[in-house]
């Protein structure tokens, strides 16, 4: 018996002879991500049902976190859980390629960290950046100084790490579509949506666990034509 963790890369988890670990943590994150995406979809649908305007444009809601604190926090919870989930998927791939055991992870800790990090950065660059600068801890509470390997956090990033309005884009809730800039220093965060990211990843990671699509009134559906907000947001994450 086996579970396919990544259909695109063919990463498989043999449940009868698990590599290094049992799959309980991986499964827990998978179910947790579905739960968070379902919750966010419910909040999005409530906004769609509560307005007569079609979901075609983008409306920024500066005080969203004040009026919808739990919905706002879902962005942070989702980013942390998705990052953890993808790092575990990458680790399964690595230990099977190398035929490693638990002791090998300590001996090769630098390779493990880089392999898992690069996998996440490739799959969800915007979510991973949000996780590092906002969800894990706001960058402003631990500003990075410049080193030979990386630049310092910009003033825009520090501000955006604790003051990030939510936008309603083609029916989706999205962060970072508004980017802060202070003294010419622009935030390095990227726009992303919980549900759009989940939908984009569904065929690759959990084709059996899709979420309900938005329900728009006939004639109010957002267009999927090129250069529309709908097409744009569904490519992000």
């Amino acid at each position: 018996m086996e579970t396919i963790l990544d259909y695109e890369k063919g990463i498989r988890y043999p449940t009868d002879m698990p590599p290094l670990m049992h799959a309980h943590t991986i499964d827990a994150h998978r179910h947790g991500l579905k739960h968070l995406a379902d919750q966010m979809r419910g909040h999005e649908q409530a906004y769609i049902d509560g307005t007569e305007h079609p979901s075609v444009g983008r409306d920024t809601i500066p005080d969203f976190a004040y009026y919808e604190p739990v919905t706002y926090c879902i962005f942070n919870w989702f980013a942390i859980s998705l990052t953890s989930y993808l790092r575990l998927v990458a680790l399964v791939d690595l230990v099977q390629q190398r035929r490693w055991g638990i002791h090998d992870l300590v001996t090769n800790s630098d390779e493990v960290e880089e392999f898992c990090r690069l996998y996440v950065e490739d799959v969800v660059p915007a979510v991973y950046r949000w996780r590092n600068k906002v969800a894990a801890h706001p960058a402003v509470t631990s500003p990075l100084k410049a080193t030979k390997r990386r630049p310092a956090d910009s003033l825009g990033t520090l501000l955006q790490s604790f003051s990030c309005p939510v936008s309603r884009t083609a029916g989706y809730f999205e962060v970072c579509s508004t980017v802060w800039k202070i003294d010419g220093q622009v935030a390095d965060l990227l726009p992303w949506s919980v549900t759009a990211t989940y939908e984009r990843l569904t065929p690759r990671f959990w084709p059996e666990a899709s979420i309900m699509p938005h329900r728009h009134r006939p004639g109010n559906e957002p267009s999927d034509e090129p250069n529309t907000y709908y097409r744009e947001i569904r490519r992000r994450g």
Side-chain angles (χ1 to χ4, degrees):
M1 296 290 292
E2 65 179 9
T3 298
I4 301 178
L5 299 179
D6 183 338
Y7 284 80
E8 183 176 303
K9 289 187 174 293
I11 300 174
R12 301 170 183 269
Y13 187 97
T15 54
D16 54 340
M17 298 183 63
L20 189 64
M21 69 189 84
H22 294 288
H24 307 313
T25 302
I26 296 175
D27 288 340
H29 281 301
R30 186 196 298 251
H31 290 298
L33 290 166
K34 173 66 161 53
H35 174 77
L36 292 172
D38 281 334
Q39 293 296 306
M40 183 66 82
R41 177 48 46 86
H43 296 310
E44 292 173 343
Q45 188 62 52
Y47 267 70
I48 291 173
D49 295 339
T51 178
E52 296 180 358
H53 302 293
S55 300
V56 294
R58 172 185 292 148
D59 300 311
T60 300
I61 312 172
D63 299 327
F64 187 91
Y66 179 81
Y67 294 106
E68 302 281 356
V70 174
T71 307
Y72 175 78
C73 285
I74 289 176
F75 285 96
N76 296 336
W77 302 333
F78 186 86
I80 290 172
S81 291
L82 181 57
T83 298
S84 296
Y85 174 80
L86 292 176
R87 291 183 75 97
L88 289 171
V89 172
L91 183 62
V92 168
D93 187 28
L94 180 63
V95 297
Q96 290 188 111
Q97 288 185 33
R98 301 289 192 272
R99 300 183 183 277
W100 281 350
I102 188 72
H103 297 290
D104 297 303
L105 302 183
V106 178
T107 306
N108 301 278
S109 58
D110 288 343
E111 182 179 356
V112 172
E113 195 286 326
E114 182 179 33
F115 189 91
C116 295
R117 174 178 54 81
L118 291 177
Y119 180 81
V120 179
E121 288 180 342
D122 178 65
V123 177
V124 284
V127 177
Y128 188 55
R129 197 170 298 182
W130 176 273
R131 180 266 180 198
N132 292 341
K133 299 299 181 181
V134 181
H137 62 263
V140 72
T141 67
S142 182
L144 291 180
K145 296 181 179 180
T147 67
K148 292 181 179 180
R149 297 183 60 184
R150 54 166 173 74
D153 284 329
S154 71
L155 294 178
T157 296
L158 298 185
L159 174 59
Q160 195 141 17
S161 72
F162 70 90
S163 177
C164 190
V166 172
S167 296
R168 182 171 173 268
T169 304
Y172 292 86
F173 288 142
E174 178 183 40
V175 288
C176 296
S177 59
T178 299
V179 179
W180 296 119
K181 180 179 180 180
I182 303 177
D183 296 340
Q185 298 183 32
V186 182
D188 68 352
L189 297 171
L190 300 171
W192 68 282
S193 158
V194 168
T195 52
T197 299
Y198 189 91
E199 289 172 337
R200 179 175 64 82
L201 297 181
T202 294
R204 178 172 177 177
F205 293 100
W206 39 74
E208 75 293 343
S210 61
I211 61 175
M212 291 292 293
H214 288 140
R215 299 183 306 276
H216 298 280
R217 289 185 298 280
N220 285 353
E221 304 91 342
S223 171
D224 191 25
E225 296 298 318
N227 301 318
T228 60
Y229 281 119
Y230 184 76
R231 178 73 65 89
E232 178 182 309
I233 195 171
R234 286 173 61 82
R235 293 180 176 179
R236 290 176 174 167

